[in-house]
Amino acid sequence: MSMESTRSANSAKRSFNNNSNSASSNSNSNPSNKKKKTSQKTLGVAWGSNSRSSSRSSFSNSPFSNFGSYMVEKNRKLQNQFEAEASTSSHGGSGSVKPIFDGVSIFVDGFTVPSSQELRGYMLKHGGRFENYFSRRRVTHIICSNLPDSKIKNLRSFSRGLPVVKPTWILESVTANKLLSWVPYQLDQLANNQPKLSAFFTLKRSSVSNGASTHAPCQVNPEAEDSSLKVGTSGDTYFSEVSEPFEHSKQISGESDDLVDENSNASLVEEPANSSGKPCEVAMAVPSNIDTEDESSVKNYLQSNHYQPSALVSSNCINNQNMKGSPSSTVSEPSNQSHSTLGDPNFVENYFKNSRLHFIGTWRNRYRKRFRTLSDGFNCTSSNIKASALKTAIMHVDMDCFFVSVVIRNHLELRDKPVAVCHSDNRKGTAEISSANYPARDYGIKAGMFVRDAKALCPHLVIFPYNFEAYEEVADQFYSVLHKHGNKVQAVSCDEAFLDVTDSEGDPQLLASKIRREIFETTGCTASAGIAGNMLMARLATRTAKPDGQCYIPPERVDDYLSQLPIKALPGVGYVLEEKLKKQNVWTCGQLCMISKDSLQKDFGLKTGEMLWNYSRGVDNRLVGLIQESKSVGAEVNWGVRFKDVKDAQNFLSNLCKEVSLRLQGCGVEGRTFTLKIKKRRKDAEEPTKYMGHGDCENLSHSTTVPVATDDVEVLQRITKQLFGSFHLDVKEIRGVGLQVSRLESTENSKQGLERNSLKSWLTSASARTEELCKNNYVAKESSNQGCEGEGDETLGQLCGNSVGLSIQMDSNTSNGAACLNEVSVPPPICHLDMGVLKSLPPELFSELNEIYGGKLVDFVAKNKGKTENMNHTLRAYSHEKIEGAMKEGQAALLPSMVFQNEIPVENKAKQHIAKEVPAVSGAESFVPASGLTKTDLIPSSLSQVDTAVLQQLPEELKVDILEHLPAHRMQVFSPNVLLYPTEIPLEALGTKTAENNSGSKDFVLDNNLWFGTPPHWVEKFKVSNCLILNILAEMYYKSGSTGNLSPILQCISSVSIHQLDAFQDGWDEAMYILCELLKQYIKLKIELDIEEIYVCFRLLRRFAMKSEFFIQMYNIVYPYLQALVGENYGGNLHMSLKD
Amino acid sequence: MDRKDNQSPQGETARILVEFLEVAITSIVFLKGVYPSGAFERRRYMNLVVQRACHPQLRDYIHSAVFGLLPFIQKGMVERAAVIFFNTDGIPVERFVFKLAVNQSYGSKVEDANLEFSLRSFLIKLSVSESLTKVLPRDYRWEITAYFRSLPEASANKDVEQWIPTDTRQWEQPPLLTPIKSMSSEPLCVQLYIEHPSLSEPKP
């Protein structure tokens, strides 16, 4: 192991004279040497000066080839000496002396009391080792009493990650006759016991004690056990002192698995840990009261617990390594610390597992899932209570110092003692207190305070770590109680909620005390409640009520209450606003009332001004239960972010993306705008006071918007990396990274694709609404239907026809809003009902209809599902004539009610329309089995079924929407000069396979210029296609700014994950064909005048081709064509270099 | 600079184009490092920093060659103008080709600003295109060659006589093209691309 030369190596006398050879050659005591007694008896070797100059002079005429080999030899001899002495001392001394320092190898640095020679003696006697020269490999502990400043600053290069311990450790270990934990004996100058970030992220560290690692296994492991027990039994064992050493050092590593399990059940284990702390003695409880729903959280917990013990373990080892000055101090450590911090693949994940803010932030999501039904039911009713706003009674319930009281709820003895929650209890640390109980607050301890300050205020402050599982459990219990007593509950946070108790009988105050009592009984924690006429006052009342009390502010007392209330108490008034107001000499709400609304709005903006005006008068119009939808989802890490190189940063980013993606999925949303926020250390900023904090930073942010909302990890990662690249930062300067996703769309909506706001959804809802209005239409059709009703299959076939008719009927209604149809009281026969319509009916309407049909509707729907399968086959068997006949009648009957007729006065056109409806149905038969689409779709299943004449007359938007919902395989047909194409196709042809139609339509494509017009024709075509890639292309056309050039579109596509584009099966060939055609036409169009554009496009395409099978194929098809045309025009070939 | 041609849009366009070609060709020569960079001085053209040859002969050569094209460009006879770099055997190594197309029937007034905007993009792109070009062999030469749609008849104009028919050696295989920039804004369409010998071109 080569050591970089450190200042200490050169300056300090006896510190690190290592050179590159020393490590490679420190062949540990080969057996033959062991026997060989050396003649040298010099005990003073440790004092032997080996500063470089003297050594150099000594070996200048020695047989050693260089300094390195001299040192090797010297080390070897010293070792032999030591071993020889050790064997004599242990033999000569009392045989009963326990080798307490087994595995410990110390190196004494500088002046110590007792002297290094005495220490050496102890080590000799008690089975330890003593190194004269520092070696990272052999030394396990560095013993010293004092360190020079330079070494403290550069601790890591000095200690190489080894513990730096005071000599008293050895003395006291000898006195105690066992190896004590070195942790309490750490050098005062370094005792910064706060766990490092890396500590949270280290993986299983059992390896520490394995193998040849000289990393003080026996010291570390008791700690591991110790701390894990502390976690595991959630406070029961808290008093089993951390510093108390345990003897069972090595077994723990083997049992770390058990430990994990144990910890996962921690909250269930009520058995007090015995002081010896043997893990196997703690009973394995069955996780009984964890419902399946929470399984994942249990898993998480299991993991996080797993990390916690190791956290403490490694914290012990790492503490010494804190390099205060170095920005890269959290970056992965050599050897044993290889898992640390950012090198750790689970970095982000673990960060959030240990984050309280994260817990609170994601809690709502959990809550919603759990209490969804309750809050939904409530939301329905909330609208009804608006009227009675005058006499409302709102209750605000807030748990008292939730984070503390949950943790100590099982420690009655701690109830009146100052307790705080913080992730570290190092008394000198800069961890922030997250919550403190009331006794602690009496000492002036506040949330956000550093532990060291808190400890200074209150030395006997007890600090607990977080117990997220307990928080969840208690929060759930808390809400169960609330939901029991009121159905109008608005969750504010995991420990705070509003209840609308207007409708509850009885005195709200009594109810409040009842609720509070129940909360106390179920959770063991106290809660305070405030009751008032609105949410603001209720919240303020709670403020008065705390702790563990309740307060009612009747309307007449509101003004009194507010007049003396400091402005800061108002929700929404933060530090900045407060300062501003204080400048205006406003300190209380009473004073705030004096200011006119106008001037408030002028000074603070419209909204804030109004809020202040309202709040200062106790006016709050919010309704309980209005939960704001979150506008963005994101994750931010501002603690412990230190990158060594770009790779670290990239790794971190991709983990952050994973986290964000999970959150997006958790919330069921996808986003389009991605904002990457970076905290960059200011140039002159010093290392922050807060350990591993971000310090003084510049906040930078870049954002980008993609065309298609996504929650896909890969896309996120790619976008994020792009964004990150755009910062052009030195990664070492980064102190915080956050990724935020906004412009959220609900996943369900986006799954339905474009249906939102489209004609189809409108139609479906319209059809629901107008269903009854249309009944006369059904009646009219009935006559025609009767002919075929004899056979069940036939009716189903008819159903198809009806649906087509119905959709057109809807069109007519839409285009002529005035078309008023007579209400007919007779419902249509059940078999005429359109499945598509039924399915999309709102539940209320459906049940109403179901009632009308005497409950048969449900059966029908179920039956229909099964039948549709058969239908396809039976329909095929149909003779076309039969249907034709039936349908002609049907359509004829239908027509009078159609508005089309008004729009198309020419009679033969109307006839044509009839004629075309017929093939439409038969066409549908053949398509349905082929494509496997919903059989009873409302929309005609292909464009050929739509009267183009009608279509053309429709307003543009409607047309687009209709086209959008036609399947792709027929869309090629739609082009201006082939509008009449379908009518010319004989019935038989339509009944045949789609492929044939395609072959027919290909010619049309060829003839047409897809690039003609603005927007080019292909855009429309692709938009209505059911093939994802074509849809994307069409969409990109608009996103790219509708320039009519292909390259911006392709560039936009490259922002979408390319392999996503491969993720479609149907229509591959068609998409391929049409795309190749598109490209060819584009080449033709541009070849003469803009070869650059073509070049750019094809380079992009080639890039896609590297990732996508689809694009490879396409590229290969079009490429020869391209080169041929280039050759024709330019007498050469386009040079597609292979390097990019 | 024949100001008299200014009345027709073609004349105006051609003048701008020729000016541009002069600058662009100088840029190419500068880009290829034919002469030490001290042989050029920084000038501003179309609000861009460009290079101009200091040496009067070099400046003259480019200037006269390009302005000699002016009448042909006005007539729409010039199809391509190329800057060709040869090795000692006279075999081209790299060619920078300007493909020109002037719409003769374009009647309306040309927006100078538009045209300049488009042409400027060439110069910008050109200045960053060095990576696309090849390293030239030692002792290479270069020349400006124009490709006409048809050979011009003998003309009285003195300028025209400067252009003489040439039979620059060609590659045997179709070359590889690397487009650098294209613009087409009425009435002018200019494309600049580099030609390199194809990989299968027999090596001399």
Side-chain angles (χ1 to χ4, degrees), chain A residues 1088 1090-1092 1130 1133 1135, chain B residues 99 175-177 182 189 191:
Chain A
E1088 240 180 293
D1090 200 348
I1091 195 179
E1092 186 202 1
Y1130 295 88
N1133 290 323
H1135 178 54
Chain B
K99 196 168 192 291
L176 287 174
L177 311 183
S182 296
C189 166
Q191 300 196 65

Side-chain angles (χ1 to χ4, degrees), chain B residues 51 113 143 180 183:
Chain B
Q51 307 291 331
E143 69 175 28
I180 290 187
M183 67 151 273

Side-chain angles (χ1 to χ4, degrees), chain A residues 1086-1093 1095 1099 1123 1126 1129-1136 1139, chain B residues 80 99 101 125 131 174-184 189-191 193 195:
Chain A
K1086 292 280 178 186
I1087 191 74
E1088 240 180 293
L1089 298 182
D1090 200 348
I1091 195 179
E1092 186 202 1
E1093 163 74 12
Y1095 185 62
R1099 280 163 68 105
Q1123 291 296 18
V1126 172
N1129 282 272
Y1130 295 88
N1133 290 323
L1134 216 47
H1135 178 54
M1136 304 295 292
K1139 55 187 170 200
Chain B
R80 281 175 287 166
K99 196 168 192 291
K125 188 76 186 283
S131 61
L176 287 174
L177 311 183
T178 311
I180 290 187
K181 194 72 205 165
S182 296
M183 67 151 273
S184 73
C189 166
V190 184
Q191 300 196 65
Y193 54 88
E195 288 184 354

